[in-house]
Amino acid sequence: MPTPLPDVSDIDRIRARLAASPRPADLAARRARVDALGANDPLPDDVHVQPTKIRALPAEWTATPGSDRDRVILFLHGGGYVSGSLVSHRHVVAQAGREAGTRTLALAYRLAPEHPFPTAIGDALAGYRFLLESGFTPERIALAGESAGGGLALAAILSLRERGLPLPGCLWLSSPWTDLALTGDSLDAKASVDPLISRAYLAELASAYLNGTDPREPLVSPIYADLTGLPPTLIQVGSAETLLDDALRLAGVAAAADVAVTLQVWPHMIHAWHLFYPEVAAGRRSLASAGRYIRAQLDGAARD
């Protein structure tokens, strides 16, 4: 008997829902649409949420009863550098922390076009410094990012390395956007199956964020960077993503630089499928896998 593929029907329902609600042209409406992707998923009763500020930036702690208060995931949300918020990704961040057995700190970094490159990198560095100043040791910190947040997490790591500052215990990158020059073949090959991200939309986002910066600048497109010295890194990507090649090529660049990189390609999954984990079994499994990875890496770093 053939093995059933329930994830296909799960994600197809999400695909149909997204197709029925096309992206609006107005920036404010686009931001509201992204926020709505997560706002309708209530948090479990045992999730504790604590708002905070990092400099003037809104941020948010989450914890569950099993959270180790000495370990933390610093999470940078997706949204193409122009949208996304604490609201849009709160449910994903909280679940990731539950699976990893850590606290989480999500950061509302400033968005383009109002705040183009390199503002978001400075905000991410401020979030990391805040954790160090709060008493977290680097080896007990996992730096995580989804989509544009994945590229931002890499830019933050590269900036920390340039400054000679201690790096976190590991990286977790989901559906990372790593090439703002838009050279990946999957941008066209997967265009018909990824309802969230298209080449034309990415070009618009890149223009807003870059504000004239060369798209091959390593701090905006980390596949053009020297990744030597990066901590152990987990990359998760869906096989139906237009950004599939961004993740595949990043894994190759990292491996060539002797980074301990783990690549997971999740069959049939679209861009940022973790957002839909309450309805998509592969979303739940991928978050559980990320949690196991973070636990193992932070355990190993602490022993070393």
Side-chain angles (χ1 to χ4, degrees), residues 130-157:
F130 172 81
L131 288 176
L132 297 180
E133 292 164 1
S134 298
F136 289 93
T137 57
E139 64 270 14
R140 300 265 179 149
I141 301 172
L143 180 56
E146 177 213 84
S147 190
L152 181 56
L154 285 165
I157 286 277

Side-chain angles (χ1 to χ4, degrees), residues 70-71 128 137-142 167-171 231-232 293-304:
D70 294 328
R71 301 183 183 205
Y128 186 74
T137 57
E139 64 270 14
R140 300 265 179 149
I141 301 172
L167 303 185
C170 67
L171 271 170
Y293 180 87
I294 291 169
R295 284 178 187 264
Q297 295 304 321
L298 298 192
D299 281 349
R303 286 193 298 270
D304 294 343

Side-chain angles (χ1 to χ4, degrees), residues 176-187:
W177 188 17
T178 63
D179 180 15
L180 274 66
L182 307 181
T183 64
D185 291 341
S186 58
L187 289 173

Side-chain angles (χ1 to χ4, degrees), residues 14 26 42 51 58 88 113 137 143 180 204-206 220 238 254 259 264 302:
I14 301 299
D26 177 72
S88 63
T137 57
L143 180 56
L180 274 66
E204 184 180 339
L205 298 176
V220 295
V259 176
Q264 296 180 353

